Amino acid sequence: MAVIKKICCIGAGFVGGPTMAVVADRCPNIIIEVVDINEDRIKAWNQEDLSRLPIFEPGLSEIINRVRGKNLYFSNEIEKSIKTSDMIFISVNTPIKKNGIGAGETSDLRFVELCARQISEMAIGHTIVVEKSTLPVKTAQTIKSILDSAVKNKTGEERSFSVLSNPEFLAEGTAIENLEFPDRVLIGGDDAVAIESLKEVYLNWIPKEKIICTNLWSSELSKLTANAFLAQRISSINSISAICESTGAEIKEVAHAVGKDSRIGEKFLRAGPGFGGSCFKKDILNLVYLCKYYGLYEIAEYWNNIVKINSWQKKRIYELVVNKLYGNLSDKKIAILGFSFKANTNDTRESPAIDICSYLINEGAYLKIHDYKVSESLIKDTLSKSFIVSPNKREKIENCFSFKNDVYEAIKSSDAILILTEWDKYKSLDWDKISKITRKPTWVFDTRVILDIKTLKKFDFNLWQLGFGE
Ligand code: UDX
Ligand code: ADP
């Protein structure tokens, strides 16, 4: 077994940054370099002010403070880092492909491929390459064939590779906790020596019974399956939320009663506006693509329905808002509370807020958007790229919304308040104050089921809460 002394992680994003921070914290004898092509991102990771790191994750800044400059470094010197490392993690982004074969379904592997080419050209000696990004099944084969495409590197030195799959199961907002105390660590590969080397890194803080070793394909497929199962639970409970509204049942009560069955379990049964985040939709679509590739059309259709229900949930919320506001949103102001795809993150990728806000803008509403961590520029950029928004509105998206740092400023003189992210602070808003600053009649739409109905009923609001029958 090779003892790992230096790790290079390519990609300083939501996965690479927090993961390597925890590895550095738990493995003081390993030097870790996180490299990225994006200079601004690296600058942001290196800046003094820890409250302005590029990623917001509870507990992250404290770790960065402990290990940055000690055994954790952020840089743009990708080639140098590749040359001098024993182990390289690939943590680059793998968005859904926009054009060509598999467009809209499978992942765009151009960033992964570029990494593999760079590694192939620059590495010296034996290097263990670890896929960390979520990837379609059999990507390891692609990486391996690129790595092995030449016998020597660019400068004529001998080199060889082992490829491992080590999928990341961290959830944003709880990334540090998930990394420090994971349910399991999965390592897939066919080189027993390389597997042992990576296992040894994790054994610095993770009990050995939590480390699962499988073949490469099982590891890659397990990651897609885990995310597909989680997303499936959300679409399932969201579908039941609509039945609750029609029948008079209450979604929280149903979820509680159902989740008490130990075979089902209580977690991941919160009904809401639909799942977001960079993984769920992409991973299910990759699974769908894989099924179609192997001619398993019924199975492809089965998983595709999880995504369909998710889109439907967002659309039905938007239609409901329009209906409650008398079918007309022009000249109406709607306060949007929350834009990130869930609480405790500044990430907006696939956030349900994007589609719902886009539909409302198209309908003529003026949005006053508030979020505790998402920046105005990111909201503007995201909405101006949303294909749901009509092209003429997209061009002048700044006329369709304003961003408010203060939640009460967003709410002031609005006709409706729409809660889209479950930020804790939204649970304790001053409804007395709010009732005096909105336009009447005021509708409050709680898509995250976080408000206390009894409190709101004391004031003059019309309330709609997801999953509550009238
Ligand atoms: C997910 C997986 O949980 C993680 O293991 C994987 O590595 C990456 O993808 P993440 O996307 O960060 O993590 O967040 P997660 O907590 O899983 O939430 C995803 C979405 O589902 C969010 O939009 C969230 O609001 C929604 N959700 C989650 C619900 O609507 N209800 C729930 O009960 C749980
Ligand atoms: P994830 O959620 O998977 O971490 P992010 O988009 O947050 O995705 O981060 C991926 C990072 O990978 C980005 O900062 C991007 O600049 C970086 N990246 C993409 N391709 C390369 C590459 N070839 N070399 C170095 N960094 C790359």
Side-chain angles (χ1 to χ4, degrees), residues 15 57 134 167-175 178 184 223 226-227 230-231 233-235 237-238 266-280 283 310 340-343 345 347 349-352 420-422 447-448:
V15 173
E57 265 308 327
T134 307
E168 190 49 76
F169 293 105
L170 65 81
E172 287 173 32
T174 51
N178 300 153
R184 79 311 208 176
K223 166 72 184 194
N227 276 348
L230 290 169
R233 280 173 79 91
I234 301 169
S235 278
I237 200 70
N238 284 346
E266 293 174 353
K267 291 183 182 166
F268 256 70
L269 284 181
R270 273 179 289 112
F275 57 76
S278 70
C279 281
F280 283 175
D283 286 359
N310 201 50
S340 56
F341 78 95
K342 64 176 192 178
T345 177
D347 194 351
R349 287 177 292 180
E350 299 294 336
S351 175
L420 292 181
T421 310
E422 73 284 21
T447 72
R448 293 282 184 171

Side-chain angles (χ1 to χ4, degrees), residues 314-315 318 352 354-363 383 385-391 393-394:
K314 293 182 268 192
K315 199 152 188 226
Y318 135 73
I354 302 172
D355 286 9
I356 295 173
C357 289
S358 302
Y359 286 127
L360 295 174
I361 285 173
N362 260 3
E363 200 73 36
L383 289 176
K385 286 184 185 145
S386 164
F387 286 111
I388 294 172
V389 179
S390 62
K393 292 201 174 199
R394 232 185 287 153

Side-chain angles (χ1 to χ4, degrees), residues 6 17 52 105 109 118 208 237 244 260 269 292 298 320 353 412:
K6 188 163 174 211
R52 297 178 61 210
E105 287 189 340
L109 292 182
Q118 274 178 305
K208 66 174 182 305
I237 200 70
C244 285
K260 279 291 172 195
L269 284 181
K292 286 187 191 162
E298 287 77 7
L320 200 133
K412 200 165 124 191

Side-chain angles (χ1 to χ4, degrees), residues 44-281:
W45 279 111
N46 280 327
Q47 69 185 327
E48 285 280 303
D49 181 357
L50 290 170
S51 69
R52 297 178 61 210
L53 292 175
I55 285 162
F56 169 73
E57 265 308 327
L60 176 64
S61 60
E62 290 84 345
I63 296 181
I64 295 289
N65 192 31
R66 276 202 293 275
V67 291
R68 196 177 58 185
K70 223 183 204 174
N71 65 329
L72 177 70
Y73 301 89
F74 293 92
S75 100
N76 295 114
E77 294 192 88
I78 303 175
E79 296 195 344
K80 190 170 157 205
S81 185
I82 291 175
K83 272 187 194 167
T84 52
S85 297
D86 318 303
M87 184 175 269
I88 300 173
F89 283 79
I90 300 183
S91 292
V92 299
N93 37 333
T94 49
I96 286 286
K97 218 176 152 186
K98 290 211 173 94
N99 303 302
I101 298 172
E105 287 189 340
T106 190
S107 288
D108 185 342
L109 292 182
R110 80 174 97 161
F111 304 110
V112 173
E113 210 184 304
L114 190 67
C115 279
R117 286 184 197 285
Q118 274 178 305
I119 298 170
S120 176
E121 285 177 3
M122 303 313 302
I124 299 172
H126 189 73
T127 308
I128 300 169
V129 176
V130 186
E131 334 172 303
K132 199 61 166 154
S133 323
T134 307
L135 296 162
V137 178
K138 299 249 168 183
T139 305
Q141 208 166 30
T142 312
I143 296 177
K144 212 165 171 10
S145 74
I146 295 171
L147 292 176
D148 293 339
S149 59
V151 187
K152 292 181 176 171
N153 72 8
K154 213 165 128 185
T155 42
E157 283 132 322
E158 302 266 345
R159 85 281 187 274
S160 57
F161 302 100
S162 300
V163 179
L164 300 178
S165 155
N166 174 219
E168 190 49 76
F169 293 105
L170 65 81
E172 287 173 32
T174 51
I176 301 302
E177 195 189 320
N178 300 153
L179 287 160
E180 289 183 331
F181 308 102
D183 287 342
R184 79 311 208 176
V185 166
L186 182 55
I187 304 176
D190 46 23
D191 176 347
V193 179
I195 292 175
E196 274 311 304
S197 300
L198 181 54
K199 205 169 161 184
E200 208 56 35
V201 172
Y202 282 114
L203 282 173
N204 278 296
W205 80 99
I206 291 163
K208 66 174 182 305
E209 56 280 8
K210 284 200 171 183
I211 304 178
I212 303 171
C213 299
T214 66
N215 77 28
L216 268 176
W217 324 131
S218 299
S219 170
E220 289 182 334
L221 184 59
S222 301
K223 166 72 184 194
L224 294 191
T225 308
N227 276 348
F229 273 46
L230 290 169
Q232 183 189 42
R233 280 173 79 91
I234 301 169
S235 278
S236 299
I237 200 70
N238 284 346
S239 73
I240 301 299
S241 73
I243 305 180
C244 285
E245 287 158 33
S246 302
T247 57
E250 293 187 9
I251 194 63
K252 268 195 174 169
E253 291 179 351
V254 174
H256 179 70
V258 170
K260 279 291 172 195
D261 185 325
S262 60
R263 294 166 301 175
I264 296 172
E266 293 174 353
K267 291 183 182 166
F268 256 70
L269 284 181
R270 273 179 289 112
F275 57 76
S278 70
C279 281
F280 283 175
K281 185 174 168 195

